[in-house]
Amino acid sequence: MKNQSIIIIGAGFAGLSAGIYAQMNGYQSQIFEMHNHPGGLCTAWKRKEYTIDGCVHWLVGTSPQSDMYHYWEEVGVMPGRKIVNPEEFMRYETSDGRTLILYNDVDRLEKHLLEFSPQDAKPIQQFIQGIRLCMEFDQSSPSNSLFTLLGKKIKLGWLFVTKGKAFQEWMKISTYEFTQGFKDPILRDAFQEMWLPEFSIFFILFTFGFLHKKNAGYPIGGSMPMAQAMAQRYLDLGGKIHYQSRVNKILVENNQAVGIELEDGSQPAADRVISAADGYSTIFKMLNGKYIDDEIKERYEKWPRFPALLFVGLGVNRLFPDEPQSVSGLSFPLHQPTEIGDAVQSRLSVHLFNQDPTLAPAGKTSLVVMMPSNYQYWKDLSSDPAAYQVKKEQVGQTIVHLLNQRFPGISQDVEMVDVATPLTFERYTGNWQGCFEGWLITPQNAKAVLKPMRQTLPGLQNFYMCGQWIEPGGGLPSAVMSARRLIQTICKEDKEKFHTTVRDSEISKE
């Protein structure tokens, strides 16, 4: 094989997956990671006896009958992983005593929504029909036999012929636009809090479809064990990971990527370079913005991104047996609007990890409160380190005080408080302005989800990208699939068959 050596920037899920598939296909790869452990944005950290999970609430592809499950097997995530499937996605409590429960079971969800607001029967039934439509497009593939795969492609093709127009219509509607059809303001507010208002609502439809089919469960242990399993899978395949190795520059000769320059000045060389790191840093810093076109420029200047987060982890010496296990948590109204960090909040959303006893000592619980936050506010504040630290402490104290409104006496049980700002995420992951994923899927760019984005840059040879900055909507499955797609492309360039393995057994050739 020609061009066998590959350098990969970043040991997040995309970088690890790229390395795993590269090793499976006979390439010699090594990963350079700025942090001291794998996972990238799929991360968790220890404070005292508690684990604060910074990523996973649900994981698409947890059903053994799904295609994505097989990809998780390939990269080493699924073997031995215990999955739980909570009954609820979210609870939304109101000041008048009503509680809206967004069940994961579609039939139960429909029944509850109609009972909650009979006057909104028409948009509720439209929403349920949208979920069922997306469930049809989520085709399971329990077998890799030729007849099964061929049958699946035929069925999907027929679905696009018969129902593709309806699917595309849903893609054109934002969550905000859809919720304007509700007469009950509680439904409007809850649906907009469930995900981002500008997000294309088809994402929510697919999410509930996955949840209904128990194909988006929660992996016990959360983020870090999955990242560690992938890193071990990569190492077992012969790859090398260099931690605490920040890449400052991608080396180019005659418009061909030839290696990288690290922060310490060393310059590892390779036949190919793959960046699975932050897109903005890659294109405009490591490559000085020399390899862009109008499409790339527009994307980074105009496309909306996921917001940065203010993230508060808490360790509580208490169990919550009366609170249901939930995918996304509990939202409750505050007694009065309260300033938290850079914004005034009238509600608080808290995720109790009562479904995962591994994140806290026996009899105790790990909690997370998170909300969108303004990166520039924290950036400006950080010019005075003392003021920055004081504000973080104030945020933590405020959150503990507000939780007392919903969980009386909880402040006495709080044993740990840890506040992460957008700058924290930027510092540890390098992600552009601390946003927790890449591009939002909006009605304006939703078609990009169906049309794979380019994984190369104009005018630059032997260089590739994978990860959330070329996969609108981001997420862990997208990271794996984009890396898989990339190594398939590289194999095609080298006129080699792409193949995958699960542990030591070859399972597919494409």
Side-chain angles (χ1 to χ4, degrees):
M1 291 176 63
K2 297 179 181 179
N3 302 326
Q4 284 190 338
S5 63
I6 300 176
I7 281 176
I8 300 167
I9 305 171
F13 270 45
L16 290 170
S17 297
I20 288 168
Y21 288 115
Q23 293 298 127
M24 285 179 185
N25 286 279
Y27 294 94
Q28 300 167 357
S29 68
Q30 51 184 328
I31 298 174
F32 292 84
E33 165 59 40
M34 63 184 287
H35 206 351
N36 59 9
H37 58 248
L41 283 162
C42 185
T43 190
W45 54 96
K46 285 276 191 181
R47 292 293 182 269
K48 296 184 178 179
E49 301 175 292
Y50 296 91
T51 298
I52 304 168
D53 199 293
C55 179
V56 174
H57 289 177
W58 74 92
L59 181 69
V60 173
T62 55
S63 167
Q65 302 303 310
S66 73
D67 282 342
M68 193 64 224
Y69 185 91
H70 299 303
Y71 299 157
W72 288 129
E73 285 187 309
E74 290 174 354
V75 299
V77 165
M78 275 307 161
R81 192 78 50 211
K82 182 180 178 182
I83 304 296
V84 296
N85 293 283
E87 293 184 358
E88 300 179 8
F89 182 79
M90 184 181 84
R91 283 198 172 207
Y92 189 91
E93 298 178 349
T94 69
S95 55
D96 62 7
R98 292 195 298 166
T99 298
L100 178 67
I101 304 174
L102 296 167
Y103 291 104
N104 294 330
D105 180 273
V106 175
D107 298 322
R108 195 174 180 188
L109 174 64
E110 180 180 22
K111 183 175 183 293
H112 176 71
L113 291 176
L114 290 172
E115 291 173 348
F116 189 90
S117 183
Q119 61 183 330
D120 286 309
K122 183 177 179 179
I124 288 170
Q125 289 169 344
Q126 288 176 335
F127 180 70
I128 298 299
Q129 289 170 3
I131 295 174
R132 297 191 186 282
L133 173 67
C134 289
M135 287 168 60
E136 291 189 64
F137 279 91
D138 174 30
Q139 297 296 309
S140 297
S141 180
S143 169
N144 282 325
S145 73
L146 176 62
F147 291 110
T148 300
L149 295 175
L150 182 60
K152 177 183 173 182
K153 288 182 179 179
I154 292 172
K155 187 173 182 180
L156 278 175
W158 178 247
L159 277 171
F160 272 106
V161 170
T162 59
K163 299 183 179 181
K165 184 177 180 181
F167 181 76
Q168 291 183 28
E169 288 302 316
W170 278 111
M171 292 175 64
K172 297 176 183 177
I173 303 171
S174 71
T175 302
Y176 175 82
E177 290 169 336
F178 180 78
T179 59
Q180 298 314 295
F182 289 128
K183 296 176 182 178
D184 191 325
I186 300 302
L187 284 183
R188 286 199 299 270
D189 294 344
F191 269 66
Q192 290 183 39
E193 183 172 319
M194 178 169 48
W195 205 241
L196 300 167
E198 60 268 44
F199 219 71
S200 179
I201 197 167
F202 95 102
F203 178 88
I204 297 177
L205 301 177
F206 261 110
T207 299
F208 274 96
F210 289 137
L211 290 166
H212 175 83
K213 296 171 76 171
K214 300 190 185 306
N215 192 26
Y218 171 83
I220 292 296
S223 299
M224 191 50 65
M226 292 197 302
Q228 291 169 338
M230 288 181 69
Q232 190 59 53
R233 172 75 166 139
Y234 174 63
L235 295 174
D236 289 344
L237 287 165
K240 298 179 181 179
I241 305 177
H242 306 272
Y243 291 111
Q244 294 181 307
S245 299
R246 182 188 291 270
V247 177
N248 282 349
K249 186 178 180 181
I250 295 166
L251 301 177
V252 176
E253 294 178 4
N254 300 319
N255 294 322
Q256 293 188 359
V258 297
I260 57 175
E261 181 177 284
L262 300 175
E263 196 170 42
D264 64 6
S266 60
Q267 297 185 341
D271 299 312
R272 288 182 170 100
V273 176
I274 296 173
S275 177
D278 173 68
Y280 183 88
S281 297
T282 297
I283 295 171
F284 297 99
K285 294 182 180 179
M286 297 179 200
L287 288 167
N288 295 316
K290 291 181 178 180
Y291 298 96
I292 62 173
D293 54 18
D294 290 341
E295 180 184 339
I296 294 172
K297 187 176 180 181
E298 178 184 12
R299 195 180 305 160
Y300 281 89
E301 288 181 353
K302 297 181 180 179
W303 275 24
R305 308 187 303 273
F306 278 86
L309 293 176
L310 182 57
F311 197 97
V312 183
L314 303 104
V316 183
N317 186 11
R318 179 194 293 193
L319 296 177
F320 296 85
D322 298 328
E323 301 296 337
Q325 293 183 0
S326 171
V327 171
S328 192
L330 165 73
S331 174
F332 65 92
L334 301 177
H335 294 166
Q336 60 185 25
T338 305
E339 181 180 299
I340 306 176
D342 59 301
V344 174
Q345 307 290 340
S346 59
R347 302 183 62 83
L348 205 62
S349 180
V350 56
H351 189 176
L352 301 118
F353 281 88
N354 53 354
Q355 82 276 27
D356 192 345
T358 70
L359 303 186
K364 303 181 182 183
T365 309
S366 178
L367 277 64
V368 164
V369 175
M370 60 183 184
M371 62 199 72
S373 192
N374 184 279
Y375 168 83
Q376 197 58 48
Y377 169 85
W378 294 99
K379 185 68 173 178
D380 294 342
L381 191 60
S382 68
S383 61
D384 183 344
Y388 175 80
Q389 188 59 38
V390 167
K391 178 58 70 173
K392 286 180 62 176
E393 292 173 359
Q394 288 176 351
V395 166
Q397 293 168 1
T398 300
I399 293 297
V400 172
H401 172 73
L402 294 175
L403 286 174
N404 273 308
Q405 297 180 17
R406 176 60 177 76
F407 307 100
I410 194 174
S411 59
Q412 300 173 7
D413 299 325
V414 172
E415 298 181 330
M416 178 277 298
V417 180
D418 184 80
V419 178
T421 74
L423 292 190
T424 310
F425 286 93
E426 181 185 55
R427 184 167 66 254
Y428 284 103
T429 70
N431 224 37
W432 188 19
Q433 296 189 349
C435 61
F436 69 93
E437 290 189 41
W439 312 114
L440 284 174
I441 303 176
T442 68
Q444 290 71 39
N445 70 2
K447 288 186 178 180
V449 177
L450 298 180
K451 181 181 178 182
M453 296 177 71
R454 188 172 59 193
Q455 294 185 282
T456 57
L457 294 179
L460 182 59
Q461 302 298 312
N462 298 336
F463 175 79
Y464 311 83
M465 294 178 67
C466 63
Q468 62 185 9
W469 294 101
I470 57 162
E471 300 285 349
L476 302 180
S478 295
V480 175
M481 289 188 291
S482 72
R484 196 179 193 272
R485 174 164 64 97
L486 174 55
I487 301 303
Q488 284 178 298
T489 299
I490 290 175
C491 286
K492 187 175 181 180
E493 289 177 358
D494 290 340
K495 296 180 172 55
E496 299 285 345
K497 282 190 175 294
F498 172 80
H499 67 274
T500 63
T501 63
V502 172
R503 293 178 181 163
D504 296 326
S505 302
E506 188 173 307
I507 62 167
S508 66
K509 283 191 177 182
E510 301 173 19

